[in-house]
Amino acid sequence: MAYRETPRMRARKEATRQRILDTTQSLVASGGFGAASVARVAEESGVAIGSVYRHFESKSDLFAEVFRHATEVEVKRVGEALNTTGPADEALAKALEVFARRAIRSPTMAWALIAEPVDPLVDEERLRYRQAYAELFEQTLVRGIREGCFRPDQNPKLSSAATVGAIAEALVGPLSPAADGLDREKADQLIHDVVRLCLQAVRAPGGQQQ
Amino acid sequence: MAYRETPRMRARKEATRQRILDTTQSLVASGGFGAASVARVAEESGVAIGSVYRHFESKSDLFAEVFRHATEVEVKRVGEALNTTGPADEALAKALEVFARRAIRSPTMAWALIAEPVDPLVDEERLRYRQAYAELFEQTLVRGIREGCFRPDQNPKLSSAATVGAIAEALVGPLSPAADGLDREKADQLIHDVVRLCLQAVRAPGGQQQ
């Protein structure tokens, strides 16, 4: 008789897989990918090391899935901010602020997602993740050009990619484990500065300043 | 008697090491890091695979050294462009143009240096390389703020990091192996657009447009 997985076995398997993912994500949030060794993931998930490899082909695959899950949430929040009513420049400013504020609130996780040297599979996810933001920003740039708040003489695809690069790179230093922590006032100033910089790059001449 | 390396042996060893580096760099320039397998590096350097590992601890170490060497040249060219006489905004525009033009001239190499998913050791070099550009840009931003062509109400450290991120990310798409090639006219337009975007982000109100 062929092996048949019962619904109950399947549910238990799925629960273990999810527990491994959640544990890994918590470890990354507190110490970066570097803190999430398979031994530690197994221990804190209450499973054997071999069990981690039954659910994920390799540590890289596990990391890539954690990366995807964590960034989907971030991209969704930025997308929601862009879709608020109001002029395109306000929507873009709001979205950049959401990105930066969420990053500063979870600096270790944000640094892990944006810049931590990890693994080529994670780097591939990173390229896709940046592309996802760029596509969202591009829609808002196109809308803002139509509305007149953004310069018409720009390439929205290029400007949107540049915006993603600008905000991510501006945060790498302040988020890095080597940096001093940011108090509320410094964090607000940082967010204000980076949002203003990004907006000024794309704004129509004579457009309102932040 | 202890083993003693003669000057001639040392010179030969050094020449082999350099040949391995040069071969790897050529392979990266034509096909990215992905095209530079140790087997291929060995074959095209005319050495045994074991010899590659006698000169470099691992493929990651070899790649990191090739990365460092290739990027030192790029950083030097950008630094020279920043150090030309003339106002700071012209110097920054010139340097960004040099960066973009050199990248577009060697798109595979530039993509490999900026974005190719490779290895955590290369990622670490990448963080340092971006930091090196940011430090150069920061000096010019500080000078431009003093000269009055750049906004005084900006954080030069943040603006310079953002500039590095903006130009690098704007080029990732066009340089990617998946992209169509750029003809001369499209390349010029791309360079114009990205330089203008970066300059507008930091320029003082009423400053001259590109």
Side-chain angles (χ1 to χ4, degrees), chain A residues 123 130 153 169 196 200, chain B residues 123 130 153 169 196 203:
Chain A
D123 279 346
R130 288 173 166 237
D153 58 341
E169 196 70 21
R196 163 132 195 226
Q200 183 163 320
Chain B
D123 280 346
R130 289 173 166 237
D153 57 342
E169 196 69 21
R196 164 134 193 222
R203 211 185 273 288

Side-chain angles (χ1 to χ4, degrees), chain A residues 92-109:
Chain A
L92 183 61
K94 185 70 204 155
L96 292 169
E97 187 184 332
V98 164
F99 179 95
R101 203 170 285 286
R102 289 179 62 87
I104 289 168
R105 207 183 299 145
S106 310
T108 308
M109 181 53 122

Side-chain angles (χ1 to χ4, degrees), chain A residues 116-169:
Chain A
E116 186 183 355
V118 189
D119 182 280
L121 265 192
V122 169
D123 279 346
E124 277 172 33
E125 293 296 331
R126 235 170 228 155
L127 288 175
R128 271 192 282 274
Y129 154 68
R130 288 173 166 237
Q131 184 59 32
Y133 282 119
E135 282 166 18
L136 288 175
F137 290 155
E138 190 182 344
Q139 294 167 20
T140 304
L141 281 168
V142 169
R143 173 158 81 88
I145 290 169
R146 209 167 47 226
E147 291 173 359
C149 57
F150 296 146
R151 281 193 283 126
D153 58 341
Q154 65 185 308
N155 173 343
K157 190 178 276 305
L158 182 139
S159 295
S160 59
T163 303
V164 175
I167 191 158
E169 196 70 21

Side-chain angles (χ1 to χ4, degrees), chain B residues 128-148:
Chain B
R128 271 193 282 274
Y129 153 69
R130 289 173 166 237
Q131 184 59 30
Y133 282 119
E135 281 167 17
L136 288 175
F137 290 155
E138 189 180 346
Q139 292 167 22
T140 304
L141 281 168
V142 169
R143 174 159 79 86
I145 291 169
R146 208 167 50 227
E147 291 172 0

Side-chain angles (χ1 to χ4, degrees), chain B residues 100-122:
Chain B
R101 203 171 284 288
R102 289 179 61 86
I104 289 168
R105 206 183 299 146
S106 310
T108 308
M109 181 54 121
W111 193 78
L113 297 179
I114 295 173
E116 186 183 354
V118 190
D119 183 279
L121 265 192
V122 169

Side-chain angles (χ1 to χ4, degrees), chain A residues 36-106:
Chain A
S37 65
V38 173
R40 188 132 180 236
V41 166
E43 194 192 330
E44 305 215 355
S45 307
V47 301
I49 290 182
S51 175
V52 174
Y53 288 112
R54 263 196 303 283
H55 289 278
F56 300 92
E57 266 191 39
S58 65
K59 189 168 87 162
S60 306
D61 285 290
L62 169 61
F63 280 4
E65 189 158 339
V66 166
F67 187 96
R68 258 195 312 275
H69 179 74
T71 51
E72 266 166 21
V73 176
E74 297 306 313
V75 171
K76 190 156 174 271
R77 292 286 168 275
V78 166
E80 285 162 1
L82 288 172
N83 283 324
T84 47
T85 51
D89 55 351
E90 284 178 21
L92 183 61
K94 185 70 204 155
L96 292 169
E97 187 184 332
V98 164
F99 179 95
R101 203 170 285 286
R102 289 179 62 87
I104 289 168
R105 207 183 299 145
S106 310

